[in-house]
Amino acid sequence: MSHSDERRHAEAKLRVEELRSLIEHHRYRYHVLDDPDVSDAEYDDLMGELRALEDAFPELQTPDSPTRTIGGAPAALFAPVEHRARMLSLDNAFTFEELDAWARRVERGVGAGASFACELKIDGVACALTFEAGVLTRAATRGDGRTGEDITANVRTVEGVPRRLRLDDPPSVIEVRGEMYLPVAAFEDLNRRLDESGQRAFANPRNAAAGSLRQKDPRITASRPLRMWVHSFGAAEGVSFDSHLGFLAWAAGAGLPVAPTTEGRGSIEGVKEYLSYWQEHRHDVDWEIDGTVVKVDRTDLQRELGATSNAPRWAIAYKFPPEERTTLLRKIGVHTGRTGKVTPYAVLEPVLVGGVTVTYATLHNEDEVRRKDVRAKDTVIVRRAGDVIPEIVGPVVSKRPKGARRWKMPRTCPSCGTPLVRAPGEVDYRCPNKAGCPDQSVEWLFHFAGRGAMDIEGLGYVTVLALLERGLIADPGDIYVLTAEQLAGLDGFAEKSIANLLSAIEASKERPLWRLLVGLNIRHVGAHVAQVLARAFGSMDALAQASQDEIDAVPEIGPEIAAAVRAWSDEPDNLSLVEKLRASGVRTADERAEAGAKPLEGKTIVLTGGLATLSRDEATALAQKAGARVASGVSKKTDFVVAGESPGSKREKAAQLGVEIVGEEEFLRRLGGS
Ligand code: IVH
């Protein structure tokens, strides 16, 4: 290999590992927690990138890669069920070119002239129904494709799923597969009810369906109007089908729910007409669809084509592009954040975009609102592209009601009434009333206690708000003088929770300096900058005494940060806060390693999973600075593995090899040399 090839290979390897751990994380959230934090489109992008890299670098392929495995492990709530035949997934095509490429592969495999069954891709929960001698004996989720969860009792409550097939001579065994879903109207209705009773609403119909099926009490499942469409079959004894459409006709005749939207097409051009039609009309059906599925119709050809490790070669999902929807912009609100930055946001008539209900969308700043010229009562286009954050594309000007007025940034803070300021050259307005602005205080205290800063468990938003309202705290220093008697007056606080909170507060006094720096809410000082500063100065005192130039001279610290840090230290209020914290026993200095020491000198470490306070790049840079070599794979030579959130296979490998595994907290401690 040439030098540059070697580098490309090493880079690809790193990225492949990173993609795998990201994908595992998303799969876990999607399949096990029913609570994905990225859109399907974003997930698909990650998978696409991984597949492309594995194609380009075949030596990086592994049998446990997400490209060769399916979905998530079953959640341990219901009894496990071995599927008689594996439940496969589908490969995706996003463009007609990719569809053509698939059709060419099919043609190469079985010759020209195959006809196709075209279906809608139901965005629901895959489910396998086993009928023995015509009687529904078991219903299971897909799980990881081999083992799913037994949800028979719940599925028996689903309308339209027969408990007995309507056949005179039923086959001895037939495993029918399909998608459970919640009709869109029912989903909206359910969310309204959950909302009214103060419960958490579901992000989208798929989650609502999954959540409804995973109820321990089948009566709750029964109260949710779930439906099912059958789309394939697994094990079959005593019956066989010549074609997919033949199977569907048989299923409909047996009383199983079969979507009326499936159609046969004789050519790939015909298939494309079907796809284009449904892309335009996806909201004409009352269930969510995220694409269409094309299947080679004849089962003998299907058998000839076979399957890869996780998907049949005879079928492909054609995914729809990201979604845009229009909705009413009820009003434009403004919010003051913890740094005093005042951000306008749109309050929308709730609308389902790309599978997620959107009610709020940020409008970023005054210039952005002016540029888009969105106004209260406008109909606006909301987009949720391969991104989790919904965005307002702009108004539909033709639908603007008469008299809709241009929006103006308020002159005073919506929370405390202080006149807002916009510094020259900045886009944001700020509320300068740092100490007395209620919104800033809540956000700041919540941030101070949060996981990224002092990590005080039990001091969440609601508690912070209650403490502020009762005048028990005003700044972070007050947290450390709270007493059991004071907490006893709060709703929901009993002896145990009081003791827990007080001990969490006590424990936070020992946090490393960088966490305190993050909590102090200094402009531009996030986790990474805080760690750099903590390492360079070692204590609040040393930092406060440093001149702007000295701060600026620290590698990775630019003039803007240096100025902000210096300005912060010049505020007497800030210094008295540090004094107050110190007086209550909060650590304001790190036990220092020798200057310039490299606490991880000679160590080889591996990072896996997501860290709460650092990006992967930042963690790598800090580890390298501490003298460590950051390797991409675990071997016996690895000194320790840092396992963050959803760590993936590297953690398992480390456990197998007996390599030490440490969490984020410990990693940060080791970086600090203690
Ligand atoms: S056929 C062997 N048809 O999408 C082929 N699947 O992303 C198995 N899905 O695992 C699936 N609508 O749970 C098929 N009309 C349809 C579908 C469909 C939704 C689901 C299914 C599959 C997943 C893949």
Side-chain angles (χ1 to χ4, degrees):
M1 251 196 262
S2 77
H3 213 67
S4 69
D5 278 353
E6 227 166 65
R7 227 194 48 219
R8 277 182 50 229
H9 183 271
E11 276 166 8
K13 185 160 183 211
L14 274 177
R15 182 63 183 156
V16 161
E17 307 245 331
E18 183 174 47
L19 286 166
R20 287 179 184 158
S21 85
L22 274 170
I23 290 165
E24 290 302 339
H25 164 86
H26 295 320
R27 281 185 168 181
Y28 174 75
R29 293 201 62 109
Y30 185 95
H31 291 285
V32 180
L33 304 181
D34 290 334
D35 188 18
D37 53 8
V38 291
S39 68
D40 292 0
E42 193 169 340
Y43 174 87
D44 289 337
D45 284 348
L46 295 172
M47 279 293 274
E49 197 192 337
L50 178 58
R51 209 166 272 131
L53 279 172
E54 289 183 354
D55 287 344
F57 300 90
E59 64 281 12
L60 297 180
Q61 290 171 6
T62 56
D64 65 352
S65 170
T67 56
R68 305 200 185 186
T69 55
I70 300 175
L77 209 58
F78 295 90
V81 171
E82 289 280 333
H83 297 299
R84 286 171 193 250
R86 279 189 66 198
M87 283 182 84
L88 295 175
S89 183
L90 289 170
D91 280 335
N92 293 324
F94 296 93
T95 60
F96 278 359
E97 283 75 12
E98 292 175 359
L99 182 73
D100 286 333
W102 172 76
R104 280 196 298 274
R105 290 198 295 276
V106 167
E107 191 171 327
R108 246 181 279 136
V110 296
S115 63
F116 304 95
C118 301
E119 299 184 347
L120 300 187
K121 187 168 188 307
I122 307 126
D123 194 8
V125 181
C127 181
L129 309 175
T130 306
F131 291 89
E132 294 177 76
V135 178
L136 175 64
T137 51
R138 196 147 77 181
T141 62
R142 182 172 69 171
D144 63 4
R146 293 179 196 281
T147 312
E149 302 166 272
D150 189 334
I151 51 168
T152 314
N154 290 349
V155 169
R156 285 207 174 109
T157 72
V158 174
E159 202 179 306
V161 173
R163 291 171 175 224
R164 187 179 283 277
L165 296 179
R166 231 172 29 211
L167 295 172
D168 292 330
D169 188 16
S172 54
V173 177
I174 176 87
E175 193 191 335
V176 176
R177 290 159 178 188
E179 218 71 9
M180 292 282 173
Y181 69 92
L182 202 59
V184 175
F187 159 74
E188 280 164 358
D189 202 54
L190 170 64
N191 260 0
R192 209 168 304 127
R193 275 186 287 140
L194 289 173
D195 211 348
E196 279 163 12
S197 61
Q199 288 168 277
R200 204 173 135 206
F202 287 104
N204 57 50
R206 200 208 75 86
N207 287 321
S212 303
L213 274 175
R214 283 232 186 85
Q215 293 290 335
K216 264 294 173 198
D217 182 352
R219 281 172 302 185
I220 299 186
T221 308
S223 75
R224 311 266 169 90
L226 287 161
R227 295 288 181 274
M228 182 184 193
W229 291 133
V230 161
H231 58 52
S232 50
F233 62 93
E237 290 168 28
V239 65
S240 63
F241 309 103
D242 290 339
S243 68
H244 180 68
L245 292 173
F247 158 71
L248 291 179
W250 174 89
L256 288 160
V258 174
T261 42
T262 299
E263 285 179 40
R265 293 294 160 112
S267 71
I268 206 71
E269 288 323 307
V271 166
K272 287 179 187 166
E273 278 166 29
Y274 179 92
L275 306 186
S276 304
Y277 175 86
W278 280 106
Q279 193 157 313
E280 280 294 304
H281 293 83
R282 61 187 289 185
H283 296 295
D284 288 1
V285 288
D286 78 339
W287 61 94
E288 275 285 306
I289 59 176
D290 55 348
T292 46
V293 183
V294 187
K295 300 171 179 175
V296 171
D297 192 28
R298 269 169 54 185
T299 40
D300 56 339
L301 302 184
Q302 292 182 357
R303 266 192 298 278
E304 256 186 87
L305 287 161
T308 64
S309 53
N310 67 339
R313 292 199 187 86
W314 48 264
I316 190 137
Y318 177 80
K319 289 288 207 71
F320 293 148
E323 277 239 76
E324 283 186 4
R325 295 284 298 271
T326 57
T327 191
L328 180 74
L329 194 166
R330 285 179 177 160
K331 68 169 202 166
I332 296 177
V334 282
H335 171 74
T336 308
R338 71 178 158 86
T339 59
K341 183 166 127 182
V342 178
T343 310
Y345 61 93
V347 183
L348 304 166
E349 190 70 38
V351 62
L352 195 63
V353 190
V356 165
T357 305
V358 178
T359 315
Y360 299 99
T362 179
L363 288 165
H364 304 285
N365 54 55
E366 183 188 36
D367 293 356
E368 182 84 356
V369 183
R370 188 173 303 147
R371 192 174 62 74
K372 291 183 173 159
D373 188 20
V374 281
R375 308 180 185 190
K377 308 289 178 245
D378 262 345
T379 296
V380 291
I381 301 165
V382 182
R383 175 159 61 201
R384 239 185 106 257
D387 199 336
V388 260
I389 302 165
E391 134 185 75
I392 308 264
V393 180
V396 182
V397 179
S398 60
K399 292 201 175 158
R400 175 168 285 164
K402 274 211 182 73
R405 299 246 227 106
R406 238 176 216 288
W407 181 78
K408 277 211 195 77
M409 186 80 187
R411 282 163 206 271
T412 56
C413 171
S415 177
C416 67
T418 306
L420 300 178
V421 289
R422 180 175 175 175
E426 290 204 4
V427 289
D428 296 314
Y429 277 85
R430 288 177 185 278
C431 166
N433 179 19
K434 201 168 170 181
C437 172
D439 275 4
Q440 281 187 67
S441 301
V442 188
E443 299 281 342
W444 178 23
L445 286 159
F446 175 62
H447 166 78
F448 181 88
R451 272 188 65 191
M454 296 296 267
D455 197 11
I456 306 177
E457 206 180 321
L459 195 50
Y461 210 89
V462 175
T463 308
V464 164
L465 206 61
L467 290 167
L468 264 171
E469 273 167 4
R470 283 164 188 254
L472 294 174
I473 54 174
D475 67 44
D478 299 329
I479 294 173
Y480 294 94
V481 291
L482 283 171
T483 63
E485 292 72 49
Q486 290 172 327
L487 293 176
L490 299 185
D491 272 356
F493 270 80
E495 209 169 308
K496 182 112 197 291
S497 39
I498 293 171
N500 286 346
L501 180 53
L502 288 176
S503 81
I505 291 173
E506 193 58 31
S508 76
K509 291 180 178 172
E510 289 302 315
R511 299 272 183 261
L513 176 60
W514 73 265
R515 286 186 166 273
L516 178 62
L517 278 168
V518 172
L520 288 174
N521 201 17
I522 306 168
R523 241 184 127 184
H524 306 303
V525 180
H528 180 60
V529 169
Q531 291 177 38
V532 173
L533 292 172
R535 200 156 325 106
F537 295 98
S539 71
M540 283 310 301
D541 289 346
L543 182 62
Q545 279 153 22
S547 70
Q548 186 170 330
D549 286 345
E550 283 167 324
I551 304 172
D552 196 1
V554 175
E556 291 188 80
I557 303 295
E560 202 181 348
I561 301 175
V565 173
R566 191 56 249 162
W568 187 88
S569 297
D570 285 337
E571 287 281 336
D573 283 353
N574 294 333
L575 297 185
S576 26
L577 173 59
V578 173
E579 280 322 307
K580 187 163 156 188
L581 289 163
R582 195 200 317 266
S584 14
V586 176
R587 234 169 78 171
T588 58
D590 279 341
E591 287 143 22
R592 303 219 59 198
E594 276 167 51
K598 300 206 158 188
L600 298 181
E601 185 81 69
K603 302 262 187 240
T604 300
I605 73 164
V606 171
L607 304 169
T608 175
L611 301 181
T613 58
L614 296 171
S615 72
R616 180 60 67 86
D617 287 347
E618 287 168 344
T620 305
L622 287 173
Q624 285 167 343
K625 227 197 257 153
R629 196 175 84 78
V630 180
S632 55
V634 181
S635 75
K636 279 197 201 126
K637 293 198 188 122
T638 311
D639 287 288
F640 62 89
V641 169
V642 181
E645 188 96 350
S646 307
S649 63
K650 281 187 254 181
R651 192 202 150 99
E652 280 162 39
K653 177 123 190 247
Q656 276 165 19
L657 293 175
V659 170
E660 187 186 12
I661 300 166
V662 305
E664 179 167 359
E665 194 85 19
E666 175 62 20
F667 170 53
L668 294 168
R669 207 181 58 71
R670 291 185 185 188
L671 281 178
S674 53

